[in-house]
Amino acid sequence: MKARNDWKWMMGSLLLGTLFASGMIPANAEENAEGTWETKNIVVGSDNDNTGTYYGGLFSGQNMTGWTKGEDYTLSGSQEFKDAEISVGKGTEGTESFTNARLIGTALNGNTLVLTGDANTPITFSGNNITSYRENSNINSLGIGGGLVYGGNSMNLSNVVFDRNTTTITGGYVIGGVAGCYLNKASGLHNVAVTNNTANGLVAAGAVAAMSGDDNTATSGRYFALTGTTTFDANTSTGTAATGTISDGQTRYAVEGGALHVEANMYLGGLDGNGGATLTFSNNEAKATTDNSGVAGGAVFANRSTYVNTDNNEITFSGNKATGNATAYGGGLYAGRSSVNEGTTGYEINFGGTGNTITFENNSATAADARGGAIAALKQGSIPVDVKFSGSNNTVTFTGNSATGTNSKGGAIYTDSNVIFSGTNNTVTFSGNTAAEGNDIYAGGSVSISGTGTYVFDGGITANTLSIDGANVTFEAGSISSVNSLSLNNATLNMKLSDASSFHTGSLSLTGENQVYVYSSLTLAGTQQLFANDGTEDWSGYGENWKVFMPENSNLIGIVTTDAGNLVVEAKTVEKGKIYDATTGEVVTGSLSDVKASANILIPENQTAVAINIEGRSETNLTLQSNDTTVKTIASEDVAIDTNGSSLTLNLDNIQFNGKAINAGAGNVVITGTNAAFIHTGEDIQENAVITAKSIKLAGGNFTIGSIMVGDTTIGDEVEGITHLTVGASSSAATDYEIVGNFSTEAAQINLDILSETSTDKLTITGTTTFGENTVFHFSSENYDVKLGDSFTILTSKGLIQGIENLIGTGAWGDRWAFNVSGNETEGYSLVATAAIPEPASWLMLLLGFLGLRFIRKR
């Protein structure tokens, strides 16, 4: 034994002496190096002693009869348990009968078990081989529970490694090949690596198992959490007998979880206050070798709910396999079957939280009846198990998952309940998933997609119902979808048609305004079917309620008609220089009197001339939009839109005017827009202003203005959000943008470029200027570094400048700007923005911070 000369050795010696004295470390356990224990060829149970329950402790050894379940047990520091050969029921004369016996926690056994390794030197269990021999194949009896470590009440492991351990049982079943516990309290893993372990038995329930405890109530607070950097890689569980029924009437699959088995609510990334985890399940396999056998969960089996409700986690399921003969459910993750009835509200797999990256790639389920290449969720009796994607700003990807077999369903996701997509700004992508039915999703219930976000399916959906509410959904070329009913409400659909594409639905319900962008690799000669029904539904009249656009071929637009109950896209040639009604596809010329008062005009290409004269109306609602996502330019020598004095509400979608845009005369104009621009450099104000009206309001959009507007102008929102006004079409030259009339702001951000110490974009107002609350001036500078004390005149006004106390300055130099008004009624007023020196209180804080750093450095 090598010499030790530090305090840790003294404390370790005291601990080891105590353990030897208590009998927890047997005399035959040899300490080969500091913290390393090797115990070779331990035989548990003799020829005449083959029954009972055996609880281990630190590789405690021969003939463990009479041991009792461990008390609370805590191990910390650096320990290694390796290369033991532990056999149960094998006497010295060879293999003997070993009936109705249990082996629990051969290395460590405790009631409340806590293992905490050093961050750089974890507690390690490697190369151990546990074998149990039985002649009784009765599935009701436990064979091995927590092969190496076991917690009878709970188990919490931190900085622990299980590597290359093997657990094998003949005739019985394995619950947790390397670690297991019964859950009466919260348990979990933090910074734990479980790699290259194997479990073989009648039911091999993963490398790690957390089973139902004595307290089987819904309010007991039992859960299992995975946090930190935790990895399950290349673990294999093999079931050597058929699926069977245990004593409580539940069906046990031959294998339940190739790597992890949890019978409580599971939290990936922990609960509130955790998050930031990196969890990886890769190349694990659950497989069965017997006819009529089945597996569930190539990596994870969870028979209650699974949640991701914390933030900034990275969770990956990659290359996991569920391989059975009769059935294989959930190549990556399986949920279903509960040992207790905890009500009828249902269970769920719910990927929520904020800023999470969740990836399922190349997972597979293979059997005659294969379901859910990545995820499978089955009802627990009559209780549903829904698969949900919620939260915000999450990125979820399903790529290359497969369900393979004569009855394969759900290449990525299978559930006999519902799949629910919701949340804010989530991006969910399905690509390259395959199955006989439902390449991406197969749902026995409904698939619903709502909220903001982007959803892409390149395989297709098979479900009872599909509903899309306000979301942006794309079906890629080659996708095949079939639903009994389809409902859309204010939805945006991108249909990428090809020879192999199809979308079949029985009934159709449309509410709100729905837009369909049809991308086609085909040459549309005449018509092409968009949606087909089963022949029992009357869809006549739906055609005019769709807005259908063909952006890939800019000389085509699509008009929806009905033909024998099917919705059909009818191709229509668009000529350059003309504008078209987006609903009827007809050319709009001269006047809008022959189209609806609320007209939707499609701009298919850059327009060299557009003239829309609106006559005889007191109010007109007009939409001008690009026929794809690129900005389209209307360039006209004449006024593009002339209301002849009536008022106009205009919605612009990726439209730029290069010339005189709107003349409303004595009418009022309200404009909303996405990437809307008004550019003109004419000198004559009355003739060449981009917008002329009695009053002009820019509301609810992003606007770039590089010329003059005539009329009392308001920059602000009528809806939630902030209107952005960018002054000047270019950042290479300063723009003096003039508003003829009064100017006011509500909720607005005004963007100005700083070009040099003496040159910046500027507003010139002929009337009074009034700033509303929280008006933001945002300064950007590409070629000039702003310095403290630099001042810029950003606005001149012939009338008063009011509400200066409401101004906020950002960009170019920190977030601290000071604003000052100078001038008089005769000469006019100027608004000056100064990159201000911090206030005295700020200087004091900076000084204290500097002194604090200096103090730390000295120490």
Side-chain angles (χ1 to χ4, degrees):
M1 186 179 298
K2 66 181 181 180
R4 302 173 178 84
N5 54 13
D6 57 18
W7 64 272
K8 287 195 272 189
W9 174 79
M10 294 192 311
M11 293 300 293
S13 298
L14 178 61
L15 171 62
L16 293 175
T18 302
L19 293 175
F20 274 109
S22 66
M24 294 187 68
I25 299 180
N28 68 328
E30 179 183 355
E31 185 183 15
N32 293 331
E34 181 179 4
T36 300
W37 296 88
E38 296 186 13
T39 309
K40 301 289 187 180
N41 300 320
I42 295 177
V43 179
V44 180
S46 66
D47 295 344
N48 300 316
D49 183 12
N50 299 324
T51 62
T53 300
Y54 301 93
Y55 295 97
L58 291 177
F59 288 168
S60 298
Q62 292 121 345
N63 198 358
M64 294 195 298
T65 303
W67 281 62
T68 60
K69 184 184 296 188
E71 302 299 325
D72 292 355
Y73 190 84
T74 300
L75 178 66
S76 62
S78 301
Q79 300 286 335
E80 186 176 6
F81 303 88
K82 68 177 186 178
D83 300 329
E85 294 287 341
I86 304 170
S87 56
V88 182
K90 184 177 181 179
T92 57
E93 302 299 324
T95 302
E96 304 292 340
S97 299
F98 194 69
T99 306
N100 296 326
R102 300 182 181 189
L103 175 65
I104 295 177
T106 56
L108 296 173
N109 168 58
N111 185 41
T112 298
L113 181 65
V114 180
L115 304 184
T116 306
D118 290 342
N120 297 321
T121 312
I123 297 172
T124 302
F125 299 82
S126 62
N128 302 289
N129 185 2
I130 306 167
T131 305
S132 177
Y133 299 86
R134 294 169 53 92
E135 67 176 8
N136 186 354
S137 61
N138 180 6
I139 198 171
N140 297 324
S141 298
L142 174 68
I144 295 179
L148 288 166
V149 300
Y150 173 81
N153 188 40
S154 66
M155 174 179 67
N156 284 282
L157 310 182
S158 180
N159 299 318
V160 176
V161 172
F162 296 95
D163 180 58
R164 296 174 293 104
N165 302 286
T166 301
T167 300
T168 303
I169 189 167
T170 302
Y173 65 94
V174 179
I175 301 295
V178 295
C181 66
Y182 270 71
L183 282 168
N184 293 316
K185 292 182 180 180
S187 296
L189 309 179
H190 178 78
N191 294 341
V192 173
V194 184
T195 59
N196 299 293
N197 302 284
T198 60
N200 307 283
L202 182 64
V203 174
V208 176
M211 308 299 292
S212 295
D214 298 329
D215 180 6
N216 281 337
T217 64
T219 59
S220 64
R222 294 178 293 113
Y223 65 84
F224 196 81
L226 274 64
T227 57
T229 300
T230 294
T231 302
F232 290 82
D233 179 64
N235 301 286
T236 301
S237 294
T238 303
T240 57
T243 299
T245 302
I246 60 176
S247 57
D248 60 4
Q250 299 177 64
T251 297
R252 287 277 189 197
Y253 300 100
V255 182
E256 296 180 340
L260 176 63
H261 180 120
V262 178
E263 292 192 358
N265 289 339
M266 180 170 62
Y267 292 86
L268 302 179
L271 286 91
D272 295 340
N274 295 119
T278 300
L279 309 179
T280 305
F281 300 86
S282 58
N283 304 310
N284 303 287
E285 183 174 11
K287 61 182 179 181
T289 60
T290 307
D291 292 342
N292 299 319
S293 61
V295 298
V300 179
F301 177 99
N303 79 345
R304 288 182 176 80
S305 293
T306 296
Y307 298 101
V308 178
N309 60 4
T310 55
D311 304 334
N312 302 315
N313 301 291
E314 184 172 344
I315 301 170
T316 302
F317 287 76
S318 176
N320 303 290
K321 299 178 181 179
T323 307
N325 288 293
T327 59
Y329 299 152
L333 170 63
Y334 172 88
R337 184 177 58 74
S338 176
S339 60
V340 292
N341 184 0
E342 296 181 356
T344 58
T345 57
Y347 302 99
E348 61 187 20
I349 300 172
N350 194 337
F351 299 96
T354 300
N356 295 301
T357 299
I358 299 167
T359 303
F360 287 83
E361 60 181 3
N362 301 324
N363 303 285
S364 63
T366 304
D369 184 3
R371 305 186 185 186
I375 297 175
L378 274 67
K379 289 180 180 177
Q380 302 180 4
S382 61
I383 303 175
V385 182
D386 292 336
V387 181
K388 298 180 179 180
F389 300 86
S390 56
S392 62
N393 299 309
N394 296 317
T395 300
V396 182
T397 305
F398 290 85
T399 304
N401 304 286
S402 61
T404 304
T406 55
N407 184 30
S408 60
K409 299 177 180 179
I413 299 174
Y414 172 88
T415 178
D416 51 14
S417 302
N418 309 300
V419 179
I420 301 168
F421 298 96
S422 60
T424 305
N425 296 329
N426 294 320
T427 300
V428 182
T429 304
F430 292 79
S431 63
N433 306 294
T434 58
E437 293 184 76
N439 285 323
D440 292 328
I441 298 176
Y442 186 102
S446 64
V447 175
S448 62
I449 307 173
S450 63
T452 59
T454 302
Y455 303 88
V456 178
F457 303 91
D458 82 343
I461 295 173
T462 298
N464 184 38
T465 63
L466 171 62
S467 62
I468 304 173
D469 185 357
N472 189 311
V473 178
T474 297
F475 288 94
E476 296 280 3
S479 64
I480 300 173
S481 294
S482 178
V483 298
N484 292 330
S485 64
L486 171 67
S487 64
L488 304 177
N489 178 47
N490 295 319
T492 298
L493 283 185
N494 303 287
M495 304 295 295
K496 298 189 176 182
L497 303 178
S498 69
D499 288 326
S501 302
S502 68
F503 198 110
H504 186 280
T505 180
S507 62
L508 176 66
S509 172
L510 301 178
T511 56
E513 294 187 4
N514 300 286
Q515 300 189 53
V516 178
Y517 290 80
V518 179
Y519 300 74
S520 178
S521 60
L522 305 176
T523 300
L524 292 184
T527 61
Q528 180 171 333
Q529 180 176 289
L530 179 63
F531 295 103
N533 70 18
D534 57 11
T536 62
E537 297 291 332
D538 181 10
W539 290 359
S540 60
Y542 273 139
E544 64 184 24
N545 296 328
W546 294 73
K547 300 174 182 178
V548 179
F549 311 105
M550 310 276 302
E552 280 197 357
N553 298 312
S554 59
N555 65 325
L556 295 176
I557 62 173
I559 307 304
V560 172
T561 60
T562 57
D563 177 19
N566 301 322
L567 291 180
V568 175
V569 178
E570 181 179 349
K572 194 172 187 69
T573 301
V574 176
E575 298 178 19
K576 183 180 290 187
K578 295 182 179 180
I579 60 175
Y580 291 79
D581 186 285
T583 301
T584 67
E586 299 301 321
V587 177
V588 178
T589 58
S591 173
L592 291 180
S593 59
D594 57 345
V595 299
K596 296 178 180 180
S598 297
N600 179 24
I601 304 301
L602 183 69
I603 307 297
E605 289 192 3
N606 291 350
Q607 302 296 301
T608 57
V610 173
I612 302 174
N613 296 311
I614 302 171
E615 300 177 352
R617 296 180 187 161
S618 60
E619 180 72 31
T620 298
N621 296 315
L622 182 63
T623 297
L624 299 182
Q625 63 185 109
S626 167
N627 72 322
D628 58 22
T629 57
T630 60
V631 175
K632 297 298 170 60
T633 300
I634 299 173
S636 177
E637 294 297 326
D638 298 318
V639 176
I641 303 172
D642 194 337
T643 72
N644 291 294
S646 64
S647 295
L648 173 67
T649 298
L650 180 63
N651 176 45
L652 301 175
D653 181 3
N654 287 316
I655 299 297
Q656 173 177 304
F657 290 91
N658 188 8
K660 295 169 285 186
I662 302 168
N663 178 25
N668 303 314
V669 174
V670 177
I671 305 174
T672 61
T674 302
N675 297 327
F678 299 87
I679 310 299
H680 191 65
T681 57
E683 296 180 0
D684 189 312
I685 294 176
Q686 298 299 325
E687 292 296 326
N688 293 299
V690 290
I691 302 173
T692 302
K694 179 181 179 181
S695 69
I696 303 164
K697 182 167 185 176
L698 303 179
N702 299 317
F703 303 96
T704 299
I705 298 185
S707 185
I708 303 164
M709 292 200 298
V710 177
D712 289 343
T713 302
T714 301
I715 309 295
D717 261 337
E718 294 179 335
V719 295
E720 290 185 3
I722 296 177
T723 297
H724 289 243
L725 170 65
T726 299
V727 174
S730 172
S731 60
S732 61
T735 299
D736 188 356
Y737 168 53
E738 188 169 359
I739 294 176
V740 181
N742 298 318
F743 175 71
S744 63
T745 65
E746 293 179 7
Q749 175 174 308
I750 302 169
N751 302 314
L752 303 175
D753 277 328
I754 299 174
L755 280 77
S756 71
E757 189 173 3
T758 59
S759 178
T760 184
D761 291 337
K762 184 175 66 172
L763 296 171
T764 297
I765 315 298
T766 64
T768 298
T769 300
T770 304
F771 294 114
E773 187 174 357
N774 294 327
T775 298
V776 175
F777 276 97
H778 180 79
F779 304 97
S780 59
S781 175
E782 296 180 359
N783 302 314
Y784 176 70
D785 292 330
V786 177
K787 303 182 295 298
L788 295 178
D790 280 352
S791 295
F792 306 95
T793 299
I794 60 173
L795 183 147
T796 62
S797 181
K798 292 184 179 180
L800 292 173
I801 299 178
Q802 305 174 107
I804 187 175
E805 68 277 4
N806 294 322
L807 297 183
I808 301 170
T810 67
W813 180 85
D815 289 336
R816 183 180 295 279
W817 289 82
F819 297 92
N820 183 53
V821 172
S822 62
N824 53 57
E825 294 182 10
T826 302
E827 298 176 356
Y829 297 90
S830 295
L831 177 66
V832 178
T834 302
I837 298 173
E839 298 172 359
S842 300
W843 279 117
L844 178 59
M845 293 301 292
L846 289 172
L847 179 60
L848 290 175
F850 173 76
L851 292 175
L853 289 173
R854 188 170 176 83
F855 173 74
I856 291 172
R857 184 176 179 183
K858 283 188 174 183
R859 292 192 63 187

